[in-house]
Amino acid sequence: MLALPEKKKRKTEQKKDSSRLQCGYFMPKKNRLCAMTRRADQKYCSEHMIYDTESEKNEGNGEKSVQTDIRVPCPYDGNHTVWSKSLKKHMKKCNAKPVVRHEVWFVEDINCSLRSELYNEEQNEVDQSNAATEKASQSPDSKSEEDSFKKYLSIVQNTHFEPLQFKISEHIGLHERLEIASRQKHAKQQSSLIGNLRDANLLSSNNFFVEFGCGKGELSRFVNLCILEDAKAAQDKSKESVPESTHYGYGFIDRGVNRMKMDQKILKDSRESNTSIIPRIQRTRIDIKDLDLNAFIDKAQPEKVVGISKHLCGAATDLTLKSLLNSTLLNEDSSKFGGLLIAMCCRHVCSYDQLLPQSREFLAERGFGTASAFSALQRMVSWAVCGKGSSKGNGKQAEEDGSENDEEIDENTNSKTPEDDPVENSNLTFEEREELGIIARRLIDESRVYALKSILKDNYDIEMFWYVPRDVTLENVCLFVAPKAN
């Protein structure tokens, strides 16, 4: 057996350049001196000069010279400094300078709350009461974390729901992709989602599709391919070309920077399809919480708006619902609203503050009326998708079963040791944990359905269903909203 090569040891003694003056600032995190060069009349380099408290410096001739300029922290990012005389110039080009948004649809935190007419005083009093309960529960006399977790675990164990209905569909436009795709799971999900759009009469070249949390825009590309496939079939049948629609297009919404976007591929697919259907593309990089949906879709002048998303993570789903409710699509301009189809995921990164008020009301009635209670529910939700094996393996499982966008980071990672963790001490088998995780996840999903039904009354069809089996993806629940047929 070959001997393993020895690890390279870090050189503790380096050749010293007598002509170079090293900065004298000690960096605690790196446990060494700064490697930058300082000036002869300075103790520190220019970056660390701010830590030199001496206002006067000695020159080589023994005389003292007054410091003519000083280093000051950058107002945008205190982690770096700049000469005070260059501060104005630096602030114009600093990479940490806040981006000034000029888009008409950017309104900061517009979707962090609902319009006042959708949030009454009674619900506000409930929220204030829950906040008081939360504060009291954090007093020194409150139960231990383990006892509290057991209490919430007991609530979930005694909660039961009827199984959701399977609505597994497909579209012929993705048959070729299903045949050649090396990873079938995404293709099957896309085909089923698009098939469900067709079954709901929402797959039309007269619609403007808004993809929330779009990432590259892959779902929209395959929606477009299926619409082109339907158009070609209609042309072959009638021997007449499908008329061009000026309302057809796609609106992409995502807060991240995405490579390999599908925007140009959508246009290329359309030009090569031998049809007259050419969609318009409108993309914006924005957090959904800051999106004025009215202003965004007004630019496109759509005839019908259809919201879509594949694996919309955590709080992004609640923000999407708020953006719709805060717009005129479900009110004054309801005739423009075609429907909404969202494949949900990552309830463990939901935010209690971003839940719809009626969702919090639903959860409060079932014993989860505070942020700490909701946090316990989130921890149980992760059991539905964590898979078997070590935590490292679980992370891989979550990655494979999540969306291809992979934007969200689990902020609820537990740093406790297994001995101190009430989750690890719950004495549940894997199968029991998974079943309880699915129930916990269903509680959050049902709270969303309850909120929508409370606000929209009987004017809309609102339902959840399984759009693929769990062996395709563990995140297989879809939320559908559409106007009721007259």
Side-chain angles (χ1 to χ4, degrees):
M1 181 181 292
L2 294 174
L4 292 173
E6 294 183 4
K7 293 183 178 180
K8 293 182 180 180
K9 296 181 180 179
R10 180 178 177 179
K11 294 181 180 179
T12 56
E13 295 183 2
Q14 298 180 352
K15 292 182 180 179
K16 294 185 179 181
D17 185 356
S18 58
S19 64
R20 193 178 79 89
L21 300 170
Q22 184 175 356
C23 172
Y25 181 78
F26 183 77
M27 306 171 71
K29 288 186 178 180
K30 296 185 177 181
N31 196 30
R32 62 172 174 81
L33 292 176
C34 170
M36 299 291 287
T37 302
R38 61 177 173 85
R39 289 192 333 200
D41 61 341
Q42 300 290 345
K43 182 179 178 182
Y44 299 137
C45 68
S46 59
E47 188 62 34
H48 295 124
M49 197 179 295
I50 189 174
Y51 299 108
D52 190 356
T53 57
E54 298 178 12
S55 59
E56 296 180 344
K57 307 295 175 184
N58 289 321
E59 290 186 341
N61 56 11
E63 296 180 358
K64 292 185 177 180
S65 63
V66 179
Q67 181 75 18
T68 58
D69 198 8
I70 59 173
R71 300 285 293 190
V72 295
C74 172
Y76 296 136
D77 181 6
N79 290 326
H80 66 273
T81 60
V82 62
W83 292 110
S84 60
K85 65 181 181 181
S86 306
L87 182 59
K88 287 185 178 179
K89 182 179 179 181
H90 171 80
M91 289 177 67
K92 292 180 180 179
K93 61 181 182 181
C94 179
N95 290 332
K97 181 180 179 180
V99 178
V100 179
R101 306 298 297 263
H102 299 289
E103 303 97 327
V104 294
W105 49 77
F106 177 83
V107 181
E108 190 171 5
D109 294 337
I110 186 175
N111 296 319
C112 287
S113 59
L114 282 179
R115 292 182 291 113
S116 58
E117 57 266 35
L118 300 177
Y119 184 56
N120 57 43
E121 289 298 325
E122 182 178 344
Q123 290 165 338
N124 189 34
E125 290 175 3
V126 170
D127 283 346
Q128 290 178 354
S129 175
N130 290 339
T133 303
E134 170 84 359
K135 187 175 181 179
S137 67
Q138 294 174 350
S139 64
D141 297 330
S142 61
K143 294 182 178 181
S144 68
E145 183 182 359
E146 184 174 354
D147 290 341
S148 297
F149 186 81
K150 287 181 178 179
K151 179 185 74 172
Y152 298 127
L153 180 62
S154 176
I155 294 174
V156 173
Q157 288 173 324
N158 292 309
T159 300
H160 303 283
F161 293 105
E162 290 296 322
L164 293 175
Q165 180 183 358
F166 272 110
K167 285 192 175 183
I168 301 174
S169 188
E170 63 177 1
H171 194 285
I172 192 173
L174 288 190
H175 280 186
E176 182 179 349
R177 170 166 163 75
L178 285 167
E179 291 174 358
I180 64 174
S182 58
R183 299 179 69 187
Q184 291 280 306
K185 62 168 191 162
H186 288 308
K188 288 179 179 178
Q189 293 172 66
Q190 290 156 353
S191 184
S192 182
L193 288 171
I194 296 170
N196 275 289
L197 284 173
R198 179 205 56 212
D199 298 341
N201 297 318
L202 296 178
L203 200 64
S204 168
S205 59
N206 291 319
N207 293 341
F208 185 76
F209 295 88
V210 179
E211 186 174 355
F212 296 91
C214 63
K216 296 183 294 185
E218 191 171 66
L219 176 59
S220 290
R221 186 195 179 191
F222 293 115
V223 169
N224 182 60
L225 285 173
C226 291
I227 287 177
L228 295 175
E229 183 70 27
D230 290 344
K232 286 187 284 187
Q235 282 184 185
D236 294 342
K237 185 175 181 180
S238 63
K239 306 300 181 182
E240 296 180 1
S241 62
V242 176
E244 182 180 354
S245 173
T246 58
H247 304 290
Y248 177 51
Y250 294 89
F252 295 127
I253 297 168
D254 200 288
R255 70 179 183 181
V257 179
N258 299 284
R259 300 176 59 209
M260 303 175 66
K261 299 181 183 70
M262 297 291 174
D263 306 32
Q264 294 304 314
K265 289 186 177 182
I266 291 175
L267 295 175
K268 181 182 178 183
D269 294 338
S270 300
R271 295 189 188 102
E272 296 175 351
S273 66
N274 296 321
T275 68
S276 58
I277 299 175
I278 305 293
R280 65 175 299 169
I281 307 294
Q282 186 173 310
R283 178 182 282 269
T284 183
R285 181 186 171 192
I286 192 172
D287 195 309
I288 300 173
K289 74 180 181 66
D290 303 320
L291 174 69
D292 183 349
L293 190 57
N294 282 337
F296 182 75
I297 62 177
D298 280 349
K299 184 179 178 182
Q301 293 296 310
E303 183 177 301
K304 286 280 186 182
V305 176
V306 177
I308 57 174
S309 187
K310 174 178 173 287
H311 286 165
L312 191 59
C313 289
T317 298
D318 301 298
L319 291 169
T320 296
L321 297 179
K322 286 182 184 177
S323 71
L324 281 167
L325 292 167
N326 285 336
S327 73
T328 57
L329 284 175
L330 299 176
N331 299 282
E332 296 90 338
D333 295 330
S334 58
S335 59
K336 283 188 177 181
F337 180 65
L340 176 72
L341 187 71
I342 294 177
M344 300 177 288
C345 83
C346 301
R347 287 44 155 221
H348 58 282
V349 290
C350 286
S351 168
Y352 183 75
D353 293 335
Q354 294 303 341
L355 293 174
L356 290 162
Q358 295 81 357
S359 292
R360 294 198 293 267
E361 176 188 326
F362 176 91
L363 293 172
E365 290 175 354
R366 285 151 183 80
F368 296 95
T370 65
S372 61
F374 186 73
S375 177
L377 186 65
Q378 286 177 289
R379 295 174 72 179
M380 286 181 266
V381 164
S382 66
W383 295 348
V385 294
C386 67
K388 294 183 178 179
S390 65
S391 58
K392 184 176 181 180
N394 295 348
K396 182 178 179 182
Q397 180 73 29
E399 178 183 347
E400 291 181 354
D401 286 306
S403 74
E404 58 272 24
N405 301 338
D406 290 333
E407 283 182 37
E408 298 292 338
I409 298 175
D410 185 357
E411 298 175 353
N412 298 289
T413 302
N414 186 15
S415 60
K416 297 179 185 293
T417 60
E419 293 79 11
D420 299 330
D421 190 354
V423 176
E424 297 296 333
N425 293 330
S426 56
N427 297 321
L428 297 171
T429 65
F430 166 76
E431 288 75 15
E432 291 171 333
R433 284 163 62 113
E434 183 179 41
E435 182 180 354
L436 292 173
I438 293 172
I439 295 173
R441 182 177 70 180
R442 183 75 178 272
L443 273 167
I444 295 176
D445 291 344
E446 289 290 348
S447 76
R448 291 165 171 166
V449 172
Y450 171 83
L452 290 173
K453 288 183 176 180
S454 299
I455 296 170
L456 302 177
K457 308 302 180 185
D458 297 327
N459 300 320
Y460 293 83
D461 288 320
I462 303 165
E463 62 174 323
M464 287 191 303
F465 53 83
W466 291 319
Y467 70 100
V468 287
R470 277 180 63 83
D471 60 359
V472 175
T473 175
L474 300 178
E475 297 283 18
N476 64 337
V477 181
C478 198
L479 175 65
F480 175 73
V481 182
K484 283 189 175 179
N486 294 328

